[in-house]
Amino acid sequence: MTRQKVVAITACPTGIAHTFMAANKIAAWGEENNVIVKVETQGSDGVKNKLSRQDIASADAVILAIDVPIQDAERFDNVPHLKIRTQELIKNTDRYLRQALAMDKTVTAACEEQEEARSAWQTFIGHIMAAISYMLPVVVLGGLLMAVAKITGQFIPIAGTPFEVLDKLGFMVIKFMYPVFAMYLAFSIAGKPALIPGLIGGIMSDEVYKRFFDLDGFMPSGFFGAIAIGFFVGHLVQWLNNTINVRAQLTTIKTMLIVPLCTGITLVIVMQYLINPFFGAINQAMVEFFTSAGDTGRGFYAMMIAAGTAFDLGGPINKAAGSVALGLNGVSETFDLTARELAIVIPSIGVGLAALLNNRFGLPNVFSSEEKTVGGTSLLLGFIGISEGAIPFILKNPRLIPVFMVGAMSGALIAIALGVKQSLPLPAIWGWPLATNVTGYLISVFAGSLVCALGVLFASPKIAK
């Protein structure tokens, strides 16, 4: 009997955890069910195990487990495929693999049905997460350039050296995170024609616009302004392209002149007189509220950022909290990245500590041998700044979400009490040496992680002896 063949692509916004977890789930299912499997991963290390058109044509089922737009998507034009989110496939691997194999590969109706099944909320979040996947490298690279300069500056003077250039360039790069975000948000909706209008709208939402035009008293609309203008530009370009009908010979004039001109003028007016004033006023009110409250305001702000970061471990709430924190970083003494950077690593390290403490010192036995291994991996991932190591545990037991939030908030509040401040977007071992109080930072990480570990042990079902 001929063995069936499944091909798949996996891709998530960060290109780290969900991408490879989904790929491993598919591979393991294939071994268990005697099905040939080939999975292409589009992760942070690029495209691996790439599917050829022959692979796709010869497969009995095609699965796209993706949360972001993928490279070479045209390979799947007119090819029936099952399209789902990585997290859904991880949770229900057997169900979706069998569903894909049951599809009739000679027709495209099933594919279209899957596309329509996405809710408005899933579509909304999908566009945002796609844009964030392009924004993250901007933040990471900018932070790394600044970190190299600042660490070097602790040993030698860097004024007038290339390290000073790295420091300033890194700061400038980070200031382009919202323009890049808005640009690719618009691109996710309407494709290439929306790229540059989205970039212009993103520039108007942040410090770049304020500095270039020397606008005193101007409060940028920030992350929420970038979201608003990204969606506006994307849908405007999409509408113009669908509405303006010209002869084939004039298509170039439409796409290179008419649509960009209409979009550019409209987006500037909307940003100048609607989005910036509205979201800028909200940001100004938030800054004044937290700043006027002094240490209490800083503590409340830190708890909000920590809770949001730990809520879904790399998901949309996590990314929104991080984007807000990055945008407000340095606006006043109240706003820094300490809570954000702590909350990224505390859940993963906490799960690792729970695996080490499991069934010891009178604590409950809740981890299987396999889960202990996953917990050890999570510990290592936490130390290098990756929060997704704890995801398998909240997928199995959603009650751990508030546990992680409490642990992250505890660590953040302890850091504030110890006078810790971190202003660079680098979590874990990459950023710890740059904190104002390294010892206090490490104490905060350990304390928050211990809260998580104990919460995991007491909130998880016990294994019967």
Side-chain angles (χ1 to χ4, degrees), residues 235-246 254 259:
H235 288 293
L236 177 60
V237 169
Q238 193 176 58
W239 180 77
L240 288 171
N241 275 328
N242 293 337
T243 303
I244 301 174
N245 297 311
V246 296
K254 168 188 166 180
V259 172

Side-chain angles (χ1 to χ4, degrees), residues 357-442:
L357 296 173
N358 183 69
N359 204 27
R360 295 179 178 177
F361 311 110
L363 293 170
N365 180 24
V366 301
F367 283 6
S368 65
S369 58
E370 181 183 351
E371 287 171 333
K372 287 180 183 178
T373 302
V374 176
T377 303
S378 176
L379 180 65
L380 294 176
L381 290 175
F383 275 110
I384 62 173
I386 297 174
S387 62
E388 284 87 349
I391 286 176
F393 297 91
I394 61 172
L395 290 178
K396 180 181 177 182
N397 183 9
R399 289 184 299 174
L400 296 182
I401 293 174
V403 170
F404 292 161
M405 293 170 68
V406 170
M409 289 189 289
S410 301
L413 290 176
I414 291 170
I416 291 174
L418 296 176
V420 176
K421 283 200 173 183
Q422 165 68 298
S423 59
L424 287 181
L426 294 171
I429 57 175
W430 320 112
W432 292 345
L434 300 173
T436 55
N437 178 356
V438 177
T439 302
Y441 201 114
L442 295 175

Side-chain angles (χ1 to χ4, degrees), residues 20-33:
F20 299 104
M21 287 169 63
N24 291 337
K25 283 280 191 178
I26 295 170
W29 185 92
E31 288 184 9
E32 292 174 4
N33 293 275

Side-chain angles (χ1 to χ4, degrees), residues 137-139 141-143 145 168-177:
V138 176
V139 177
L141 180 56
L145 294 179
K168 293 181 177 179
L169 189 63
F171 178 79
M172 184 185 76
V173 168
I174 290 175
K175 289 302 176 184
F176 276 90
M177 62 181 182

Side-chain angles (χ1 to χ4, degrees), residues 198-214:
L199 175 66
I200 294 170
I203 288 173
M204 293 183 70
S205 74
D206 201 22
E207 287 283 328
V208 180
Y209 181 64
K210 177 180 179 179
R211 289 170 183 266
F212 188 86
F213 284 92
D214 194 23

